[in-house]
Every structure is written in C-alpha cells, then in structure tokens.
Amino acid sequence: MYRNFFFFLNYISVLLMAVIICKHHRRRISCSRPSGPPPAVMALLYGLIWRLLLAVVRIKRATASWFRLSIRSWRERFWQRTMAALLLPVPMSELPVYPQAAGTDGGRAKRLSRWISDGKSLDKLPAHIGFLVAEEELSYTDVANMVVWCMAIGVSYVSVYDHHGLFQKNSSCLQEEVVRQQHHLLGGAHPEYQMEVLKSSTGRPQHLVVSCRPTVKVLSPEDGKPSIVQAARKLCHSVEKKEWSSKDISVSMLDVLLRESKNIPDPELVVKFGPVNSMLGFLPWHIRLTEFISLPSHRDVSFEDLFGALQQYSACQQRLGQ
Amino acid sequence: MSWIREGELNLLERISANILTAGPMPKHVAFIMDGNRRFARKKNMERQDGHMQGFNKLAETLRWCKHLNIPEVTVYAFSIENFKRSKEEVDGLMELARQKFEKLLEERENLEKHGVCIRVLGDLNMLPLDLQQVIAKAVIMTKNHNKCFLNVCFAYTSRYEITNAVREMAWGVEQGLIKASDVSETLLSECLYSNNSPNPDLLIRTSGEVRLSDFLLWQTSHSCLVFQSVLWPEYSFWNLCEAIIQYQLNHKSIQKARDLHREEQVLQQLEADCACVAEQLPHHGNGKPADAQRRQEALQHYTVAREARVQDFLEALKHKRDSFFTNLCSETVST
C-alpha cells in the first residue's frame, strides 16, 4: 500500500514538472510578449511542488525505517521459531517459545562473552563515546541498555546528552535504570559501574577517578558553550588580577581548563539518534575530531545497531591534517 | 581560472532551483572541501592539480549559490594542522593561494558588479608576509560590498579562533575596557573571526568523512550538518540540492532548538547581571537590605553600563583588526 502511494506521488510530481517545463518554455519563447503566466501563479506552483517533494522524501524515509524494523522483527521471529523447532521435540514446538530464555544465567554468560568477543573483533574502539538523543520522547531503558553494552564491550567513558537537559535533570532515574539493566543483562556478579553526573555549575574539578572503572557522564547544553564562557571568565579574572598577561593565553591552556572540570578524554565517537542532523549544542570544544554517526531512533535500539556504528567508526581513518 | 563565474543555470537546474527556493533556504552555507588529493590519486594527476580542480569547483559552487539565493558562503581552505603536511605541498598551496588572491585583485570590477565581499578568517601572522599583504589588499578592496559574502578560512582552526577570542577579551580587560564579569556567550561570539556573519545554517562536508576537523565548532552548534560521500572536485549542482533538501527537512526542529538556546542565553546573561548587582549593592546601601524596587533599578543601571562597556570594547577591537589590515596594505606601498 505504501508503495502504491509512493508511486502515485512520484507520478503526480513528474506530471507537475512536465506542466512547469511546458509553461517555462512558452514563457521563454514568448519572452517579448508581456502575456506569460503571471509570476504569482508560478510561485504558487513551485511552492506546491516543493511541499510535495518534501513529503515524498519524508515518506521515503519513514518507509525505509519501517522496513528496517519489520525485517528485524521478522528475522528474530524466524530464528526463534527455527531454534524452537530444532531444540524442542515436535509435539511441543507448537507451544509459545519461552520469551525470557535469554534471561537465565547461562544465557547471560553466553551473551556477555559474545559482546566481549564482538568488542575485541574491532580494530579500534573509542575510549569515550557520546550518545546524542535528538528525539522528543526519551527512553531511559534503551539508553541504559546501550550504556551497559558499551561497558561490556570495553568503552571506558560514556556520555549521554539531550538538548533539553532532561537526562541531567532526571539523572537519578537514568542511574537506577542503568543498574537495573545491568542486573538484567549481565547478572549481579559484575562490579557496579560508576555513574557520575556532571553539573557545570559546580565548576570545580570532580574527584579524580583513580580506578579504571567505566564512567557514565550525563551532559546538558550547560556543559557546552557556557562552560567555555566560564573558562574564559576565569582566565579574564586572572588577567584582571595581573596573574597572567593576555598574550599568555593559549589553546592548551583553555583545553586544560575545560578538561579539568570534566577530567574525560574528548569523545572519539558521537552516535546521534533521531531525525535532526545537528550537534544541538553538544560540547563544541570537545568534538574537534569526533566522528559523527546517525541512527534513526534510540527506541528499541538493538545491540546490532550500536555495533554497526562502532564498526563504521573502526573503519574510519583520521589523517589529523596531514 | 577566475573567482566569479558568469553563466546561467540550464533549464532543469533552473526549475529545481525555483522549486527549492519556494521552501526555507539557508542564508549561510559552510563547506569543508575535502577530497582533492583523493581525486588527484584517482585520476592519476599531480596533487597540485587536484587542489587546482578543487578551487575551480569552488568558483562553480559560488555561482550555484548565487542562483539559489544563498548570500553567504564560508569555506575551509587551509587548517593550521595542514602546516604539518610536506613542505612541498604546503608551499604549493601557498603559491596557489597567492595566485588566486592576485587574480582576485585583477577582477575588481567584476567583484564590484556582483557586490562580493571577501573576508579571510584565521591567523594571518602564520602565513608568509607577501601572501598576508595580498590577502589584506583583497579584503580591504571588497570590504564595502554587501550583496554576497565569501569567507575563506585560512590558517584557521576553531579552537584557535575561540582561544583568540578569549585572548582579545583578556586584552580588553587589560586595557580597562571591560570587566572579567562582562564575559558572556554573546561577547565571545562577537570576538570570533566570524563576528560579522550570522551562524551558518548548513554545513556540508564532502568525501564521506563524518567529522568537523576543528572547523566552526562554535558557530555550527545548531546548524544542519550534511556529510556527502562525493569528492569535492566532483561535486555537482545536484549534490548541493540534496544537501539543501536535508536542511529543509531539518529546518523546523533546528529552529526550535535555536530558539530554546537563545532563551537560555538571555537567562544566563540576566543571572550574571543579577549576581554582579548583588555583589555591588551591599557596598552602596547603608547596611539595610535592598528592597525590590531599588534592586530592579540597580539591575537596569548595571545592564546599561555593561552594554556601553561592551560596545566600547567591540569598537576598539574592530579598530584594532581594521588597522592590522591597513598596516599590511601600507607596508606594501612603502616597500
């Protein structure tokens, strides 16, 4: 049905195009005569076609993501059925497949070892990965899932960001969710992952992380430009007090100031979720060399989606200006 | 090859341009022109020829932008990091730039006709002196044109630009023009090299790389980013159209995010002002807690004073920057 509609729209736009071309030609030929199609009519027509074009692109996008989802769910069902058919004796195969089969301890261990081996199969793993959620509705469970996956793969720092600052406002909610998902996905035998909530208003360096335990940071727009402004203000204050001269200020000085209040490496990879292609204020200073990969949505995101982004990252080559 | 290309779009292109311009158009587009060397390798050309092709494509792109009613274009021509490349290549690129800017000086009338204003963003002090002088001449020659704007980022990185802005503000503090507490997001934006232009609406990077490589980090925080896999010398009108459609699809949500950010910015400024007033008030009062009305008046008073300070400082900064260019120009006359 989608397809038919799509073709229909295409058909209309082609038809309209043809009309326009004819009109245009007539106008060009009859240039000398004052009677052509009035410009207002043309403007209206162009506006109409533009709307149509955008609608077509949107529909195309929606169908593409719909197909992606349906294929995935179909594939999952297919595998479940085949596994059931192979493992269970024939008369029992008609029973519904036990949905939480993967939730048992054996399943967990197997899954964890698969994630670890997947992580090892990558040539290059980011030390710091950022999740930029550019969608209206946030799903804490899915974000928590991704955090746990990253930790299992071996990413040391994970930043979570949305441009309304909601994650930071509700960071305790996210923290609970991460702990819950950790239990669910990895079982209880694993060390608690540390969760640090960054609030730029504190401004002071946070406690130093001595252990190499992975850290989750929750960022908001406050940590972007305002933190740069704060660092600038600090430098200007010390210039005011004659501690520094304005000529002493260098890139590395500002970098140290901005890093100190965060004590994290720059993110090597930012995965953006949602239809908006923009950084939306995500740490402007720190994304100098960050790879930017988009996924359509963070809702119901699967390990394979995230792993695909990581694979794409590991294939990227940076020349650093050379 | 000249900077300004004459010539109309063909029929199909013109129709598409008309359709696209019926929607919201970006007022300012930034390009990272990546892929010249890969193009040269692919075509078995000399590296320098690849860069040459890249420049020609830029001239063509400017023509398309003109027809698409895009008044401002910013391009990343040479990064500070690019100085790390082999001496031969760096020298070649400097030579190319010198040729092109000299060519630009010859095209004076044409530039005037189209009203093209050329600005060069970056630290010119890092370049050879003769190139600095040519650039200064071109910038001064076109500075009063106001129909279209081309910003060339040369010896530029965004971190350097931000640091430089901080340095300028510190200079203002040293000169006693502003106070450290006057430092704000708006003031920092005004001190960047790009202070004369609005933030880009659309940033296009070619050749399939998906990072910003230290280009306009501050300015593009709420811009639409489009990464295209085509190499820069192979860039076509249709690629540009595709990028613009991407922008139009994102237009509404980005606009919303921008508005949100602007509100936030105003709020922060107000907070900072209030903090400063609160610091001042106890000194003026007779030990009594200030009442609401007095506080309000003090706040207004403070805001006006701050704005005047900032205005004076920006004036001085502009003068400083202008005289840098005029000095460079007069040096050439005297030598």
Side-chain angles (χ1 to χ4, degrees):
Chain A
M1 189 200 77
Y2 270 113
R3 240 160 200 235
N4 285 342
F5 186 54
F6 185 59
F7 277 134
F8 171 64
L9 277 177
N10 261 344
Y11 176 67
I12 287 191
S13 58
V14 166
L15 207 81
L16 276 171
M17 275 272 216
V19 173
I20 300 292
I21 290 174
C22 289
K23 289 212 166 182
H24 223 87
H25 253 305
R26 265 230 316 270
R27 189 164 64 163
R28 279 182 77 213
I29 293 160
S30 60
C31 231
S32 50
R33 275 188 301 159
S35 64
V41 174
M42 292 308 284
L44 207 72
L45 254 174
Y46 284 133
L48 208 70
I49 296 178
W50 175 74
R51 262 162 217 282
L52 216 68
L53 182 73
L54 239 62
V56 168
V57 176
R58 282 220 178 90
I59 288 166
K60 208 174 132 193
R61 221 192 234 183
T63 26
S65 72
W66 179 75
F67 262 112
R68 201 180 53 92
L69 275 179
S70 62
I71 283 177
R72 196 170 71 199
S73 69
W74 179 81
R75 205 197 291 148
E76 267 167 22
R77 245 176 303 158
F78 175 78
W79 278 114
Q80 266 180 4
R81 289 225 179 106
T82 19
M83 289 310 264
L86 286 175
L87 292 178
L88 297 174
V90 183
M92 278 175 73
S93 66
E94 281 165 12
L95 288 172
V97 182
Y98 185 48
Q100 282 299 316
T104 58
D105 278 344
R108 274 187 196 136
K110 214 190 272 168
R111 217 159 23 163
L112 182 61
S113 70
R114 199 193 84 202
W115 289 340
I116 292 173
S117 70
D118 274 349
K120 281 197 181 126
S121 72
L122 294 170
D123 293 337
K124 186 167 74 162
L125 201 64
H128 180 183
I129 181 168
F131 293 127
L132 197 175
V133 181
E135 285 170 280
E136 290 300 318
E137 275 176 59
L138 307 177
S139 156
Y140 290 81
T141 316
D142 286 311
V143 172
N145 264 336
M146 286 191 291
V147 168
V148 175
W149 290 330
C150 282
M151 308 253 151
I153 287 177
V155 177
S156 327
Y157 296 92
V158 180
S159 300
V160 180
Y161 175 88
D162 73 292
H163 70 288
H164 293 287
L166 288 176
F167 279 131
Q168 195 171 70
K169 231 178 265 168
N170 307 324
S171 56
S172 55
C173 199
L174 185 64
Q175 184 163 13
E176 275 167 28
E177 200 59 43
V178 169
V179 171
R180 193 175 314 140
Q181 289 305 319
Q182 220 169 295
H183 269 280
H184 176 70
L185 294 170
L186 306 178
H190 297 274
E192 287 278 282
Y193 291 122
Q194 193 180 341
M195 173 101 166
E196 190 180 356
V197 182
L198 263 178
K199 289 228 169 73
S200 57
S201 50
T202 59
R204 257 164 272 109
Q206 311 270 328
H207 60 277
L208 277 168
V209 185
V210 185
S211 67
C212 47
R213 282 195 304 182
T215 308
V216 181
K217 308 242 170 192
V218 187
L219 301 172
S220 76
E222 283 282 297
D223 302 297
K225 286 183 184 176
S227 75
I228 300 178
V229 171
Q230 213 160 35
R233 208 174 280 162
K234 218 182 205 169
L235 283 175
C236 286
H237 266 300
S238 44
V239 168
E240 212 167 33
K241 285 187 235 147
K242 303 268 188 294
E243 287 165 17
W244 296 99
S245 143
S246 65
K247 295 206 170 51
D248 297 333
I249 296 170
S250 66
V251 175
S252 53
M253 212 165 143
L254 205 54
D255 194 38
V256 166
L257 260 181
L258 283 164
R259 200 178 291 277
E260 214 172 37
S261 58
K262 307 271 153 71
N263 88 60
I264 38 172
D266 292 342
E268 288 106 325
L269 169 67
V270 166
V271 184
K272 186 224 47 167
F273 301 93
V276 191
N277 281 334
S278 174
M279 280 294 179
L280 297 175
F282 183 90
L283 300 184
W285 179 268
H286 303 273
I287 52 165
R288 181 171 74 112
L289 298 172
T290 304
E291 306 280 346
F292 190 63
I293 292 172
S294 291
L295 291 178
S297 170
H298 76 299
R299 300 195 147 264
D300 302 324
V301 69
S302 70
F303 178 77
E304 280 70 30
D305 293 333
L306 184 69
F307 190 67
L310 284 167
Q311 273 175 324
Q312 208 179 328
Y313 165 78
S314 88
C316 280
Q317 190 192 18
Q318 296 211 338
R319 297 178 305 277
L320 305 169
Q322 304 221 336
Chain B
M1 205 45 106
S2 87
W3 286 70
I4 309 254
R5 291 275 184 91
E6 299 289 345
E8 289 294 311
L9 300 174
N10 67 34
L11 181 66
L12 205 59
E13 285 171 348
R14 201 161 53 228
I15 291 169
S16 324
N18 278 333
I19 292 173
L20 279 185
T21 45
M25 287 299 280
K27 296 265 167 302
H28 181 179
V29 181
F31 287 99
I32 302 181
M33 309 181 287
D34 198 8
N36 293 337
R37 291 187 294 178
R38 261 165 284 174
F39 176 77
R41 222 171 302 143
K42 196 170 117 188
K43 295 267 151 109
N44 283 324
M45 282 194 223
E46 285 286 317
R47 214 164 33 196
Q48 189 65 13
D49 291 333
H51 289 305
M52 197 66 148
Q53 293 278 322
F55 175 80
N56 294 342
K57 186 53 77 178
L58 171 62
E60 215 174 332
T61 309
L62 292 179
R63 179 174 72 93
W64 297 330
C65 287
K66 199 189 99 199
H67 287 297
L68 286 167
N69 295 334
I70 298 170
E72 184 151 4
V73 172
T74 300
V75 295
Y76 202 5
F78 193 84
S79 152
I80 294 176
E81 302 286 322
N82 290 151
F83 281 114
K84 286 189 207 151
R85 292 183 180 176
S86 69
K87 187 174 183 309
E88 181 202 349
E89 192 182 349
V90 172
D91 288 346
L93 281 167
M94 292 295 152
E95 186 52 39
L96 181 67
R98 191 175 302 124
Q99 274 173 23
K100 291 305 167 190
F101 277 103
E102 269 163 10
K103 179 91 193 150
L104 189 77
L105 293 176
E106 291 165 20
E107 289 184 82
R108 187 183 186 127
E109 278 173 22
N110 217 344
L111 289 169
E112 212 171 299
K113 194 178 102 195
H114 292 280
V116 186
C117 169
I118 303 222
R119 305 189 191 113
V120 177
L121 317 182
D123 191 352
L124 296 187
N125 290 313
M126 295 185 181
L127 304 174
L129 189 65
D130 55 337
L131 181 57
Q132 285 184 38
Q133 287 166 343
V134 183
I135 288 177
K137 263 193 209 164
V139 169
I140 287 184
M141 185 178 87
T142 61
K143 87 174 172 201
N144 291 324
H145 299 165
N146 56 3
K147 272 194 214 130
C148 21
F149 302 87
L150 171 64
N151 306 310
V152 182
C153 294
F154 213 96
Y156 174 94
T157 64
S158 191
R159 280 192 178 187
Y160 192 89
E161 183 188 29
I162 295 172
T163 309
N164 189 58
V166 176
R167 215 178 283 151
E168 301 290 14
M169 290 190 290
W171 171 79
V173 170
E174 268 176 347
Q175 301 287 315
L177 293 166
I178 47 169
K179 295 190 208 164
S181 56
D182 296 339
V183 172
S184 70
E185 213 177 302
T186 338
L187 182 61
L188 206 154
S189 306
E190 289 288 331
C191 294
L192 297 173
Y193 295 129
S194 64
N195 60 330
N196 290 316
S197 0
N199 287 339
D201 298 308
L202 172 63
L203 181 130
I204 297 172
R205 176 160 194 167
T206 56
S207 92
E209 303 295 348
V210 286
R211 56 182 174 272
L212 294 176
S213 298
D214 222 336
F215 180 55
L216 301 179
L217 299 176
W218 179 278
Q219 295 91 331
T220 58
S221 67
H222 290 88
S223 305
C224 178
L225 309 180
V226 176
F227 300 105
Q228 294 177 309
S229 54
V230 57
L231 299 177
W232 175 251
E234 292 171 340
Y235 202 70
S236 74
F237 180 78
W238 304 110
N239 293 123
L240 183 61
C241 286
E242 189 199 323
I244 291 172
I245 290 179
Q246 284 282 340
Y247 165 78
Q248 292 176 333
L249 280 170
N250 283 307
H251 175 74
K252 246 188 218 150
S253 22
I254 288 183
Q255 205 56 41
K256 228 197 258 166
R258 273 188 180 181
D259 291 341
L260 189 78
H261 177 69
R262 203 164 304 127
E263 276 167 30
E264 202 71 26
Q265 218 173 314
V266 171
L267 218 68
Q268 269 160 19
Q269 183 69 69
L270 192 68
E271 248 169 52
D273 283 353
C274 281
C276 288
V277 169
E279 230 169 70
Q280 275 182 355
L281 264 186
H283 302 295
H284 290 298
N286 313 327
K288 275 183 273 175
D291 56 275
Q293 199 191 342
R294 253 194 61 205
R295 209 177 301 164
Q296 195 62 37
E297 271 170 23
L299 182 63
Q300 259 173 17
H301 190 72
Y302 179 83
T303 311
V304 171
R306 175 180 56 77
E307 272 164 10
R309 269 202 305 271
V310 166
Q311 212 49 51
D312 281 348
F313 163 65
L314 289 177
E315 213 52 46
L317 183 63
K318 188 173 181 312
H319 179 74
K320 184 177 147 189
R321 283 187 174 158
D322 284 347
S323 61
F324 173 75
F325 281 111
T326 32
N327 284 347
L328 266 178
C329 250
S330 56
E331 264 171 48
T332 42
V333 176
S334 60
T335 49

